[in-house]
Amino acid sequence: MQNNVTETTPAQVLLNSDMGEGFGLHEFGNDAALMEIIDVANVACGYHAGDPDVMNRTVALAAEHGVAVGAHPGLPDPMGFGRRRMVLTPEEVETIILYQTGALTAFLAKNGLSLNHIKPHGALYGMLAGDEELMQAAAGTAKQFGVPFYGLAGTAHESVCRAMGVEFVAELYVDLNYGPAGELLIQRRPAPTDPDAAAERVSRAVAGEPVLAVDGTPLNIAFQSICVHSDAPNAVDVASAVRKALTSSRSTHS
């Protein structure tokens, strides 16, 4: 799968991060610091992580910093942090996304925010990328809420959204590697990313140059948003480097 190529304008690229990934007193990530850097937060909605108190605090923090909030629904597998695949029907995909997104919208309303988008988490994200029937259920939920879907260009994420009239926002990842077919290689545990390498990937991609897969295959990746995960040990350094690269690219293109 080679991603489609579209021209990316640096001024339109938004930085997003997965947040609110904790339960009770056990919280992971660098949410408070990252909220000062990012544009968009993908907030966990209770299945892989994110209980009501965590959701409430995360949405309030986003509102305080002027950060847009989208739903980050995952598989009902907290032990595996939503990173283990499950066998699901399209109806089950629809209901688990609908249930989690609906829960988040209550906290958004409390804080005077509206739902910005839906972006599935972990294994669910990967399952939808490769299965049109499952993706139709997910896109239908995004259509119900009237919001865009964040995903990978050149996969069922994009093709199904286009077919169903759902706005699609393609992502570039800087702290995960890509396989030779353009697929994301999702790690079970977060690992540090070299901030300089992340910044270089962004600079190259914004300039229209290919991103290299793990085997050296050049990939032309279409994107309108860049994701930096919040749970890596040096996530703040990575996000800061990406923000600096975006700012530099905007100056170059202005």
Side-chain angles (χ1 to χ4, degrees), residues 3 16 35 47 55 64 102 115 127 164 166 169-170 216 221 246:
N3 289 335
N16 77 77
M35 284 290 188
Y47 270 13
M55 273 194 279
E64 178 185 343
L115 183 69
M127 290 162 57
M164 294 179 62
V166 174
V169 177
I221 299 176
L246 274 177

Side-chain angles (χ1 to χ4, degrees), residues 7-15 39 169 223-226 246 250:
E7 184 178 353
T8 301
T9 304
Q12 299 173 337
V13 176
L14 299 179
L15 185 55
D39 304 296
V169 177
F223 66 99
Q224 293 83 46
S225 189
I226 297 171
L246 274 177
R250 287 167 182 165

Side-chain angles (χ1 to χ4, degrees), residues 109-134:
K110 175 187 174 183
N111 287 276
L113 300 179
S114 57
L115 183 69
N116 187 69
H117 66 280
I118 294 175
K119 173 190 169 180
H121 165 80
L124 180 59
Y125 188 94
M127 290 162 57
L128 300 178
D131 190 312
E132 290 191 352
E133 282 191 282
L134 296 183

Side-chain angles (χ1 to χ4, degrees), residues 164-243:
M164 294 179 62
V166 174
E167 184 180 349
F168 175 73
V169 177
E171 296 186 288
L172 172 71
Y173 284 81
V174 296
D175 50 14
L176 290 177
N177 289 319
Y178 289 88
E183 73 277 17
L184 272 181
L185 304 180
I186 297 175
Q187 304 168 144
R188 289 289 297 275
R189 294 181 179 275
T193 296
D194 180 354
D196 291 337
E200 182 182 2
R201 177 176 287 185
V202 169
S203 297
R204 288 174 57 87
V206 169
E209 298 176 18
V211 169
L212 299 182
V214 289
D215 66 346
T217 300
L219 303 170
N220 293 309
I221 299 176
F223 66 99
Q224 293 83 46
S225 189
I226 297 171
C227 179
V228 175
H229 288 93
S230 65
D231 58 347
N234 64 337
V236 175
D237 292 337
V238 173
S240 297
V242 170
R243 174 60 74 195

